Every structure is written in C-alpha cells, then in structure tokens.
Amino acid sequence: MRLDSLPAAAQAFDAVAESFDRRYGAWHSVAAQRRAVRSALLAAFPYGSRILEVGGGTGEDALWLARQGRHVMLTDASPTMVRVALRKLRSYVGSSATVLSAEALETLAASREGAGEELFDGAFSNFAGLNCVTDLAPVARGLARLVRPGGQVILVLFGALPPGEVVVQLARRDFRSAFRRLARGDVPARLGGRDFSVRYHRPREIAYALRPWFRCGERRGIGVFVPPSAAEPWISDHPRLLSAMEAVDQLASRPLALLGDHVLYQFERRTVGVGARSK
C-alpha cells in the first residue's frame, strides 16, 4: 500500500511507526497514564475475553492484555504500525492485528457477520486514536455491530482543557498550544513531517454518537495531575514528584474526570439498539 494513498493521520503515524516505541516508551508520564488505563481494562475485560482494539498503534496495550490472558484483535489505519504490532503478538494464539481505519469498522463487522464469527466481548481505544476521527458516528455504528450485548467499550480521548497542558505550554510561552483544545472543528497537527488534523471531541458529542446502542457509564480523568507528554523529558527526571502526582490521580480521576489530559469513557452495549444486531 502506497503511503500517499493513506488518510493524512495514517500517513503521519506510519512515518514514525518504527521509532514510536523508542520515543514514547521511555517517557514516565506516558507509562503512568497507561497504568491508569490498564487498570480499567482489566476490570472491564475478564480473563479469556475477546477484545477489539481500535487505533492500537504499535500494539503495546494489545501485547500487555495478551500476556494477561485476553485475546485482542488490533486494528489501525497505519500499515507500519500494524506490522510492528504483529511482531509483538505473533507468539500469542488468539491475538492478531489488521490494517483498518476506525471509520471502516462496519466493513469489518460485515465481513465477520458473513463468516458467522462471534461478537467481541468488548472493545477499547486508548490514547486519543479517535481524536484523529472527525465523525464518530460510523465508529459507533461499527462498534454496535461488533460488540455483544452487555459488552464493555472503553474509549480514551483527549480532554478539552487539562490544566497540566495549559501550565506546561504557558511555561514554554506557547500560548496557541496552551488553549488549542478549546478549538471547535478540525485542528491542524503535525507528526513525522506530515500534516493532518485532530478534533477535540466534547463529552456530549461522544455520548451522543454512542447513545443509540450503548449505555453511558463512568468517566475517569487520565492524567489530571500526572502531566502530559509535553512535560517530557523534564518530568521523567523527577520520579518522586511523578509518583506523588500518580497517587493523587487515583483519588481525583473520577471527581475531576474532565480535567484529565485524557478522559476515559466507559460504555455498555445495550441489549437492543437501533440498526444493530444482537446475538
């Protein structure tokens, strides 16, 4: 597949896929936020669960879940990201990775329905993969056809106004970046020398897109006090401070959910939903 035939966001992430883990894997703030998400994933998906991951990137979470006895089908729009993920998952029977954009989940659903495959026990998307999607409606429709009734869906997206992001960017005198998440519509972004756009979905938009098929559950702030990656590498050089921030986050994640660098939204698949099958 030619790189220039991919969606803009997929091109950007494809360009950095091979070096992605080396860069972000060393950052302690990312690890702290990932631990908070993984705690929720373990609680939502029991041992042996069949899970769909949307925008799974290099497969760090899929690999971790596979090691915990879960079976993950990772999807991502970047072929190189998927290639990296497959190298990690090849030893785990029942886990896999395939090139697929979040907007094309209904295509996956139609294929699985035609083959008579079982519905997934749940699905998740971590670290703002869905912020690269302008319209969440096709994502919600696809998830409705892929997740069994009663199954859990966990979506982790950027928060709209995290204090940590504002403080870090103001300290850098980058006033535009400090408040960029307040912008409506598509916002320009750049990664790997390539331009694409992101959208900072509001909680009401997210709930509205999923409501026909999913019951809204709790929200948690991921990185309310733990700073965003914009604070790197400085914060990684202060492990005691970061550890204290992580401890406070465990207390603040629910009451201050919307102040997180990311916000974790949990949904439950309804037994009956408009335009979606049940099985």
Side-chain angles (χ1 to χ4, degrees):
M1 183 181 295
R2 289 175 51 190
L3 185 60
D4 59 7
S5 69
L6 299 173
Q11 291 184 38
F13 282 93
D14 204 82
V16 301
E18 292 289 354
S19 61
F20 196 83
D21 288 342
R22 288 195 300 275
R23 177 180 177 182
Y24 294 100
W27 289 354
H28 295 179
S29 63
V30 174
Q33 292 197 24
R34 197 183 290 278
R35 281 192 290 271
V37 174
R38 286 177 175 177
S39 175
L41 295 178
L42 278 189
F45 307 131
Y47 184 89
S49 293
R50 302 179 312 278
I51 310 165
L52 174 68
E53 183 176 11
V54 181
T58 64
E60 284 293 286
D61 288 319
L63 174 63
W64 184 83
L65 283 167
R67 287 171 172 167
Q68 310 304 314
R70 279 70 171 172
H71 307 295
V72 184
M73 180 179 182
L74 178 152
T75 63
D76 197 278
S78 160
T80 307
M81 287 281 191
V82 168
R83 213 160 37 239
V84 174
L86 281 170
R87 292 200 295 262
K88 299 175 182 178
L89 294 171
R90 61 188 172 190
S91 299
Y92 295 89
V93 176
S95 291
S96 61
T98 189
V99 179
L100 186 81
S101 69
E103 299 93 328
L105 287 178
E106 287 188 280
T107 302
L108 175 63
S111 172
R112 291 176 64 85
E113 289 166 5
E117 296 187 67
E118 293 183 346
L119 296 170
F120 290 98
D121 295 312
F124 76 100
S125 180
N126 195 11
F127 281 161
L130 294 182
N131 287 104
C132 295
V133 175
T134 295
D135 183 6
L136 293 177
V139 180
R141 290 195 301 267
L143 288 172
R145 294 173 62 179
L146 288 162
V147 176
R148 65 168 176 80
Q152 301 295 305
V153 170
I154 291 178
L155 307 178
V156 183
L157 292 91
F158 280 129
L161 187 62
E165 174 86 2
V166 174
V167 169
V168 170
Q169 299 296 359
L170 288 179
R172 293 179 171 180
R173 299 186 179 183
D174 187 347
F175 300 102
R176 177 177 296 181
S177 295
F179 299 102
R180 63 185 170 184
R181 299 194 194 183
L182 291 176
R184 297 283 186 172
D186 290 341
V187 178
R190 188 171 178 82
L191 181 68
R194 294 180 177 270
D195 296 317
F196 63 106
S197 63
V198 297
R199 179 168 291 215
Y200 298 107
H201 300 286
R202 301 308 194 256
R204 185 176 296 179
E205 298 171 40
I206 298 165
Y208 181 81
L210 277 83
R211 188 172 292 125
W213 306 277
F214 295 89
R215 183 177 295 105
C216 297
E218 69 172 8
R219 296 184 297 210
R220 301 186 201 178
I222 305 297
V224 178
F225 288 90
V226 169
S229 58
E232 294 291 356
W234 181 86
I235 192 62
S236 287
D237 293 332
H238 297 79
R240 290 184 179 179
L241 174 60
L242 181 59
S243 179
M245 290 176 165
E246 188 174 2
V248 175
D249 261 9
Q250 293 177 11
L251 301 174
S253 63
R254 287 178 175 84
L256 300 179
L258 297 183
L259 297 181
D261 178 37
H262 295 83
V263 181
L264 182 152
Y265 300 86
Q266 188 160 352
F267 299 88
E268 180 180 314
R269 178 68 169 89
R270 298 180 190 272
T271 303
V272 177
V274 180
R277 67 178 183 142
S278 61
K279 182 177 178 180

